[in-house]
């Protein structure tokens, strides 16, 4: 029995929708809702978290992210310029650095900075205990951002450099005023990505130890969850991450559109 | 005459008024095994408009780009106003402020407005104040007929307008000479005229110009001299009316019969 192509396609699609709705319905019906609510949505526990979950946990998460991002960005620019340098040893160093810190888990780097550096070399990073953790994050972020920035710089047409140099601008000024500003707009999407990754990676700082006032969101939530024996705080922490990341990615998308227009 | 570094250590202070604007002596340039310029010698005197024509791949753009060292010559000498700019003592950035350069692809800075494009190097290189730079910029924008577009971004201008902005950007540095690298080759035919008109005005004002071009009409009417290049060498040069109408060399004749 011949069915017309479009008819057959419609029937298949309908069947897929039906299956999807059925799976959701079964899941919803078989869930023990009071138990879920009891585990994740206890209002008295939620209320009890304020203001610390904001004034300590979220604040520290944001603060650590900003420090690591700024440090990583500066280091990344430096490494990118080294990698594009005409001087061989600079290039080799940057390449080696990037391979090392991109290839090794961030946790291992943080651990190494936090414990091995003081023991092996007698170097103590200031602002203990988070200082060494932040330094580790910066070192790793710098490696990732260096590659992003290098790609951004190389995406700027060579004619831009030539025009700038022809006007008598030095290589440094050309980089600062002509190449980097244009390279950065190309890097907005990957940089947003980098920021979000860093925001989440601040949770790795606990490995070098923490104090009550230095807790960030994940550790705060973990400790509160085990103290209360309830997962409500975990859900709250997850929400707070999203409260930061979703507007940020929206803003980056807006920025990208706006800059694209002046191109 | 070659200038020697002065006792003050600044060879650029020794500009000789009598020296030609551009003097090139036995210039060679190779990219790897491929020799693009095979011993070029030429002079551009102050106020002259020298048009360089020739088939693509003849080395004319490389020659022009060597004059402000966008290409590093393999050997030979380049003297700008009597100063050997290949002398390692010479500050290339300062030499470049005296030489305006206009590119085939305009190369305006897309992240800045027209005014921003014109002011950047004035402020960063010449050290002019913002208001001084803006005044100079506006003067030059008026000159190229774009006084009303100072707040536009390059992307919002036509190719012809972008090229005129690029010319105004170079002029804002008050250069002693201008280099044009096929300035109308990337333009739609109907936009070519405005750009050539600006260049004609510049020539009439006495600007020293070296123009790589395919516009034979411009070469004939505006050029004080035309140079025909082929295969990295100067084949023929002389008065444009003479060379374009009655070329002596077979290679020039062959080229002109194709483009005219």
């Amino acid at each position: 029995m011949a069915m017309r192509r479009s008819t057959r396609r419609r029937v298949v699609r309908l069947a897929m929708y039906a299956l999807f709705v059925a799976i959701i319905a079964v899941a919803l019906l078989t869930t023990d809702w009071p138990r879920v609510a009891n585990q994740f949505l206890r209002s008295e526990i939620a209320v009890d978290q304020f203001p610390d979950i904001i004034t300590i946990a979220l604040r520290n998460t944001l603060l650590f992210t900003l420090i690591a991002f700024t440090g990583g960005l500066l280091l990344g620019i430096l490494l990118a310029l080294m990698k594009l340098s005409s001087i061989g040893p600079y290039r080799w160093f940057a390449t080696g650095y990037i391979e090392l810190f991109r290839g090794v888990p961030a946790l291992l780097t943080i651990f190494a900075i936090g414990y091995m550096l003081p023991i092996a070399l007698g170097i103590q990073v200031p602002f203990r205990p988070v200082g060494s953790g932040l330094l580790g994050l910066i070192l790793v972020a710098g490696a990732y951002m260096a590659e992003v920035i290098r790609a951004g710089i190389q995406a700027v047409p060579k004619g831009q450099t030539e025009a700038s140099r022809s006007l008598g601008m030095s290589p440094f000024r050309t980089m600062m005023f002509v190449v980097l500003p244009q390279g950065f707009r190309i890097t907005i999407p990957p940089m947003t990505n980098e920021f979000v990754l860093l925001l989440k990676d601040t949770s790795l700082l606990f490995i070098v130890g923490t104090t009550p006032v230095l807790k960030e969101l994940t550790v705060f939530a973990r400790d509160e969850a085990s103290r209360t024996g309830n997962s409500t705080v975990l859900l709250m922490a997850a929400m707070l991450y999203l409260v930061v990341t979703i507007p940020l990615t929206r803003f980056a998308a807006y920025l990208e559109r706006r800059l694209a227009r002046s191109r | 005459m070659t200038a020697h570094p002065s006792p003050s250590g600044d060879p650029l202070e020794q500009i000789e008024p009598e020296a030609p604007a551009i003097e090139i002596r036995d210039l060679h340039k190779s990219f790897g095994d491929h020799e693009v310029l095979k011993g070029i010698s030429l002079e551009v005197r102050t106020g002259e408009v020298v048009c360089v024509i020739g088939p693509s791949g003849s080395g004319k753009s490389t020659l022009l780009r060597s004059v402000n060292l966008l290409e590093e010559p393999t050997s030979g000498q380049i003297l700008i106003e009597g100063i050997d700019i290949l002398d390692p003592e010479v500050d290339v950035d300062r030499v470049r402020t005296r030489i305006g350069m206009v590119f085939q692809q305009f190369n305006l800075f897309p992240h800045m407005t027209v005014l921003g494009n014109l002011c950047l190097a004035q402020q960063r290189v010449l050290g002019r104040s913002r208001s001084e730079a803006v005044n100079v910029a506006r003067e030059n924008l008026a000159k190229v007929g774009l006084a009303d577009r100072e707040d536009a971004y390059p992307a919002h201008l036509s190719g012809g307008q972008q090229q005129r902005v690029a010319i105004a950007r170079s002029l804002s540095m008050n250069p002693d000479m201008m280099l044009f690298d096929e300035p109308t080759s990337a333009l739609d035919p109907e936009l070519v005229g405005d750009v050539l008109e600006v260049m004609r005005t510049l020539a009439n004002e006495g600007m020293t110009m070296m123009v790589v071009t395919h516009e034979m009409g411009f070469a004939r009417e505006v050029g004080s001299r035309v140079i025909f290049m082929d295969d990295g060498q100067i084949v023929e040069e002389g008065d444009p009316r003479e060379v374009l109408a009655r070329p002596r060399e077979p290679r020039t004749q062959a080229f002109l019969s194709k483009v005219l």
Side-chain angles (χ1 to χ4, degrees):
Chain A
M1 47 167 247
M3 218 191 276
R4 281 177 54 199
R5 251 183 109 106
S6 58
T7 319
R8 195 168 57 204
R9 203 179 300 157
R10 208 175 305 146
V11 169
V12 169
R13 193 179 303 163
L14 214 70
M16 285 169 79
Y17 278 141
L19 182 66
F20 180 67
V21 171
I23 292 171
I24 300 281
V26 170
L28 289 177
L29 290 173
T30 55
T31 304
D32 183 350
W33 285 110
R35 191 167 156 189
V36 170
N38 191 43
Q39 187 59 27
F40 284 101
L41 301 167
R42 289 270 290 279
S43 57
E44 78 280 5
I45 294 180
V47 170
D48 199 33
Q49 301 308 321
F50 289 98
D52 284 3
I53 196 168
I54 303 290
T55 57
I56 294 176
L58 180 61
R59 173 185 162 278
N60 282 338
T61 291
L62 288 175
L63 184 67
F64 297 162
T65 308
L66 283 176
I67 292 172
F69 187 79
T70 310
L73 185 63
L74 295 175
L75 182 61
I77 293 174
L78 184 71
L79 286 167
L81 293 178
M82 285 174 82
K83 190 153 185 191
L84 293 172
S85 163
S86 53
I87 301 165
Y90 283 2
R91 269 199 322 273
W92 305 329
F93 174 84
T95 305
Y97 180 98
I98 292 166
E99 292 302 331
L100 175 66
F101 285 97
R102 213 171 44 165
V104 167
L107 199 56
L108 190 69
T109 302
I110 293 171
F111 194 72
I113 304 277
Y115 293 111
M116 293 180 205
L117 220 56
I119 295 168
L121 302 171
I123 298 171
Q124 200 58 263
V125 180
F127 303 112
R128 278 196 303 152
V130 289
S132 54
L134 282 173
L135 180 61
L137 271 187
I138 288 173
L139 294 180
V140 175
Y144 278 99
M145 289 194 212
E147 283 297 88
V148 171
I149 294 164
R150 181 191 56 78
I153 289 174
Q154 286 183 320
V156 177
K158 205 161 157 275
Q160 292 290 309
T161 305
E162 291 183 351
S164 176
R165 297 303 308 277
S166 295
L167 289 164
M169 302 260 285
S170 64
F172 177 76
R173 283 175 177 142
T174 298
M175 192 49 82
M176 291 303 292
F177 298 111
V178 176
V179 178
L180 282 183
Q182 292 183 63
F184 270 127
R185 69 170 55 176
I186 298 164
T187 66
I188 289 173
M191 278 298 179
T192 312
N193 211 19
E194 200 51 48
F195 192 90
V196 172
L197 287 177
L198 267 180
L199 183 81
K200 296 183 296 182
D201 277 355
T202 52
S203 61
L204 300 176
L205 291 179
F206 78 92
I207 193 80
V208 289
T210 186
T211 66
V213 293
L214 287 175
K215 283 181 188 173
E216 47 66 55
L217 267 174
T218 298
V219 169
F220 181 91
R222 182 199 64 181
D223 291 354
E224 282 301 297
S226 62
R227 187 180 66 82
T228 57
N230 189 281
S231 304
T232 302
V233 197
L234 297 182
L235 187 65
M236 293 172 73
M239 291 302 194
L240 285 173
Y241 277 113
L242 293 180
V243 160
V244 178
T245 56
I246 291 175
L248 183 79
T249 50
R250 296 298 92 197
F251 176 70
Y254 158 80
L255 207 62
E256 210 190 332
R257 275 197 310 277
R258 215 190 58 132
L259 290 174
R261 240 181 291 140
S262 69
R263 246 198 120 70
Chain B
M1 234 202 86
T2 317
H4 298 282
S6 65
S8 68
D10 189 354
L12 284 186
E13 295 307 321
Q14 297 202 332
I15 289 185
E16 298 166 48
E18 303 300 315
I22 303 168
E23 189 178 353
I24 295 169
R25 293 178 188 158
D26 194 28
L27 193 71
H28 289 259
K29 168 69 181 176
S30 301
F31 293 108
D33 287 340
H34 180 52
E35 190 167 36
V36 184
L37 297 180
K38 302 173 177 172
I40 301 279
S41 296
L42 72 88
E43 247 186 54
V44 179
R45 284 180 298 278
T46 305
E48 250 190 324
V49 176
V50 173
C51 294
V52 185
I53 60 171
S56 59
S58 58
K60 53 196 192 308
S61 279
T62 307
L63 171 66
L64 191 80
R65 290 161 55 84
S66 299
V67 173
N68 70 351
L69 295 186
L70 284 182
E71 304 291 352
E72 190 88 21
T74 310
S75 68
Q77 271 189 316
I78 301 172
L79 286 80
I80 299 295
E81 292 167 333
I83 293 158
D84 180 1
I85 60 170
L86 293 172
D87 181 347
E89 297 281 307
V90 169
D91 179 354
V92 177
D93 289 338
R94 282 190 61 194
V95 174
R96 284 177 173 146
T97 63
R98 303 205 162 134
I99 310 172
M101 175 92 177
V102 175
F103 299 85
Q104 184 177 349
Q105 298 295 340
F106 330 134
N107 295 345
L108 292 180
F109 307 134
H111 59 301
M112 296 178 182
T113 62
V114 165
L115 203 58
N117 266 277
L118 268 64
C119 289
L120 178 67
Q122 287 193 65
Q123 291 178 259
R124 298 290 166 190
V125 179
L126 302 180
R128 288 179 184 157
S129 71
R130 175 75 190 172
S131 62
E132 204 181 350
V134 167
N135 284 340
V136 174
R138 288 197 172 129
E139 222 167 85
N140 286 306
L141 277 179
K143 192 169 188 169
V144 300
L146 291 169
D148 54 336
R149 302 312 303 272
E150 64 175 50
D151 292 322
Y153 281 91
H156 298 148
L157 301 175
S158 73
Q161 290 173 328
Q162 289 193 47
Q163 193 59 299
R164 285 186 280 152
V165 170
I167 294 173
R169 177 173 69 179
S170 286
L171 291 177
S172 295
M173 301 297 285
N174 299 103
D176 295 344
M177 63 200 81
M178 293 279 287
L179 310 177
F180 293 85
D181 189 4
E182 302 198 24
T184 57
S185 296
L187 296 177
D188 292 336
E190 76 272 20
L191 303 174
V192 169
D194 288 342
V195 172
L196 291 182
E197 194 49 48
V198 168
M199 291 168 64
R200 191 187 309 263
T201 310
L202 265 183
N204 289 340
E205 287 172 2
M207 175 62 80
T208 308
M209 291 162 61
M210 191 166 163
V211 186
V212 171
T213 186
H214 294 295
E215 296 290 333
M216 297 304 151
F218 178 85
R220 181 164 34 229
E221 290 154 37
V222 184
S224 29
R225 191 146 47 95
V226 68
I227 291 176
F228 172 72
M229 274 182 76
D230 190 18
D231 195 27
Q233 286 162 325
I234 294 178
V235 176
E236 186 167 354
E237 66 174 297
D239 185 308
R241 278 154 298 249
E242 196 61 31
V243 173
L244 295 176
R246 283 176 296 279
R248 288 188 312 271
E249 300 290 329
R251 278 193 281 179
T252 320
Q253 290 161 4
F255 173 74
L256 288 175
S257 70
K258 276 182 233 155
V259 297
L260 283 181

